[in-house]
Amino acid sequence: MKRASFVLALVSIVSMGILPACKHSGGNSSADDGITPPHDVFPPEITVSPPEQTVEQGGTARLTATAQPGENDSGTISYQWFKTGRDGKNGTAIPAETSPSFTPTTSVVGTQYYICQAASSTDPETLTAKSNVASVTVTKKSSGGDTTEPPVQETPGGGNIDFDFGTYSTGGSK
């Protein structure tokens, strides 16, 4: 292989990310040739993902996600919550929900899906990580009491006794 073809192949491999670029010594290159070693800064790591939750309509659901900076990253972590589909894709950022914890609305019965994205201040466009998808299922609020009719039983004298949660009355006369 000729030198020009070898250099072109090597540049292609480096640009595809298969082989990292690095400085080298010797040869015809100067020390200031513009080629610098990679920083090897890794994206944040999600350490806590929010769990699935089921709450009654109007109840409180609280989602929490935490992350730590990736290896060799000295940046700080910022958060953004997204409402998304079950698969975690095509999310819509929830305005002003930029803390590790989020309290979604529970006014509508049904299931909603959420993820949290953590980003490093070192490079918030590329150094990101997403939590697992958390579902929040809102169920219909229970009525809070027994709505069944009290039982009616016949008495030996022909009258009825209506049981009404501990009190009774006779329906017939003697």
Side-chain angles (χ1 to χ4, degrees):
M1 180 182 268
K2 292 184 178 183
R3 181 172 167 89
S5 297
F6 176 77
V7 170
L8 182 59
L10 184 59
V11 169
S12 295
I13 291 172
V14 169
S15 68
M16 290 187 300
I18 297 171
L19 182 67
C22 59
K23 281 192 181 255
H24 60 279
S25 61
N28 296 328
S29 177
S30 70
D32 295 321
D33 61 6
I35 300 174
T36 58
H39 293 267
D40 291 332
V41 176
F42 293 89
E45 178 185 342
I46 300 291
T47 55
V48 174
S49 274
E52 295 181 358
Q53 295 184 36
T54 300
V55 297
E56 280 190 348
Q57 190 175 17
T60 301
R62 186 146 177 91
L63 302 176
T64 299
T66 57
Q68 65 184 21
E71 186 178 335
N72 298 326
D73 185 4
S74 59
T76 57
I77 301 295
S78 63
Y79 297 89
Q80 176 64 60
W81 285 91
F82 291 82
K83 188 173 184 179
T84 184
R86 181 186 311 238
D87 61 2
K89 296 180 182 176
N90 300 322
T92 302
I94 303 169
E97 294 300 340
T98 57
S99 69
S101 294
F102 163 57
T103 303
T105 181
T106 59
S107 59
V108 178
V109 172
T111 302
Q112 299 296 323
Y113 301 94
Y114 302 93
I115 61 166
C116 183
Q117 178 175 295
S120 170
S121 62
T122 302
D123 186 353
E125 295 298 318
T126 62
L127 295 177
T128 63
K130 291 182 181 177
S131 70
N132 292 337
V133 177
S135 66
V136 175
T137 302
V138 178
T139 60
K140 189 172 181 180
K141 191 171 186 174
S142 65
S143 61
D146 186 4
T147 59
T148 60
E149 293 292 320
V152 176
Q153 296 184 0
E154 287 193 27
T155 62
N160 291 334
I161 300 175
D162 295 332
F163 290 93
D164 187 12
F165 303 105
T167 61
Y168 70 92
S169 63
T170 59
S173 59
K174 292 188 179 185

